[in-house]
Amino acid sequence: MSDIERAQAVVVGGGLTGLAAAVAVARAGLKTIHLAPQGPPDRRTSALMMPAVRYLQDAELIGEPSGIGHPLQQVRIIDATGRLIRAPETLFDSAEAGLPAFGWNFSNVKLNEAFATAAAALPDLETRPLTLTGLVRNDAGTLLTLSDGTEVQADLVVGADGKKSLVREEGDFRARENGFTQAALVCDLELGRPIGNCSIEFHYPQGPFTLVPAGGNRANLVWIDQRSVLDAARAAGPDALVETFREKSMRLFGSIALATPAHIFPLSTITVTEAGKNGIVLVGEAAHAFPPIGAQGLNLGLRDVADLAAGLAETDLTAPGWTQKLSLDYARRRAPDLARTTGIVDALFRSLLAEMIPAQALRAGGLWALKSLPVLRKQAFGMGMGNR
Ligand SMILES: Cc1cc2nc3c(=O)[nH]c(=O)nc-3n(C[C@H](O)[C@H](O)[C@H](O)COP(=O)(O)OP(=O)(O)OC[C@H]3O[C@@H](n4cnc5c(N)ncnc54)[C@H](O)[C@@H]3O)c2cc1C
């Protein structure tokens, strides 16, 4: 046992939830090792709703959101399906909900920089650019093997290692995975006309084409379609790609220029039956993944971290067996939110793609109801914001 290092906590994964979790765990007073292998920059952007933004500010992971993000005050939905039963154009305005904004849109690179600055200031947090290669449960907790051959005996393990989580697999968590033939193409665009602080969603039968405000005339595009369609559109070259964007956005914005190269992300869903046990907890996409519809993924991941921080604050970290108690408590706290959010996104995704006439009628009727019934609109605002 002499060559084996000891750590009170190890956080695995250097994405946004891993960074936020490492900060939360070290702030709780645990000597923490954060395994954060270097990777290419995360070119996605994240629309974070006000509860998530407030959490980031309270946890001092970011300062004023205006320093690194752009406000989201309106959401406009345009039914571009050309179906028999179509939904009316619908506008949601944060002023209706009595809010200055629904949330803020951030580039993941900027969030990563802000979180890393917060992490660097914590004396109990040590970051290593290593991957986890093995995990075994033993009587003393969990024995981890790192990519440099080091072995670490940890009390608490936080799996923030994304969709293909080794912590989930070797920690023996039951998970259900479902791959889609659709993918998401993302890039930044310079538009001839600004979109203000309004996120605009064109709903096509194959998936939404969404422009999210990124300041001035810039917008972040998230286009969901069949993977083969996205690959072909990108392979056709920048000029043809821009012409496709002009067509998909109904030529509403004048000229369009590519501001960044297009990246394509495969889409899948992952659900776990429990998000914590045996001194191991899963956060972010290690615990849940779904298509980027309604901007829920990172919002949910940050609620994982907020619940982990709350659980740590209520736990006696010196009592025998505290990690077992904490991980079970975490699983119990997270279960309703994970089930509810996954259910909403799944229903939304299926309703967007459904070719069945009854499903189209339901979706169109739902949007009509949302457009005209204030009580329903209020509930929809709350759900989209991730209010609990
Ligand atoms: C196109 C698109 C748009 C999106 N837009 C939004 C949005 O607007 N709003 C929103 O809330 N969400 C959005 N999401 C979802 C959001 O991006 C994700 O939920 C979030 O980034 C997941 O973060 P994560 O840290 O859990 O996982 P990841 O970002 O995947 O990070 C996992 C990390 O673990 C590391 N890792 C993996 N294996 C190991 C190992 N063995 N050892 C050590 N490290 C390991 C990886 O290197 C990686 O750094 C979007 C997703 C997509 C695809």
Side-chain angles (χ1 to χ4, degrees), residues 20 79 185 215 229 236 251 282 361-362 388:
D79 190 337
L185 180 146
V229 171
R251 302 188 188 278
L282 301 175
L362 264 178
R388 300 199 234 184

Side-chain angles (χ1 to χ4, degrees), residues 11-19 35-40 42 44-49 52 72 104-106 108 112 128 130-134 147 159-167 183-186 212 221-224 263-267 283-302 304:
V11 178
V12 185
L16 291 171
T17 51
L19 267 164
L35 300 180
Q38 299 283 318
D42 182 347
R44 291 170 291 187
T45 56
S46 298
L48 295 182
M49 302 301 135
L72 296 170
W104 291 76
N105 184 35
F106 301 99
N108 286 11
N112 192 296
R128 297 187 193 174
L130 300 174
T131 49
L132 177 77
T133 56
S147 49
D161 47 346
K163 281 185 181 178
K164 299 201 167 97
S165 172
L166 187 71
V167 175
L185 180 146
V186 302
V212 189
L221 168 68
V222 181
W223 171 21
I224 295 179
H263 291 268
I264 296 177
F265 293 85
L267 301 182
V283 299
E285 288 197 335
H288 47 75
F290 33 71
I293 305 275
Q296 294 289 329
L298 185 58
N299 282 278
L300 188 61
L302 292 172
D304 297 339

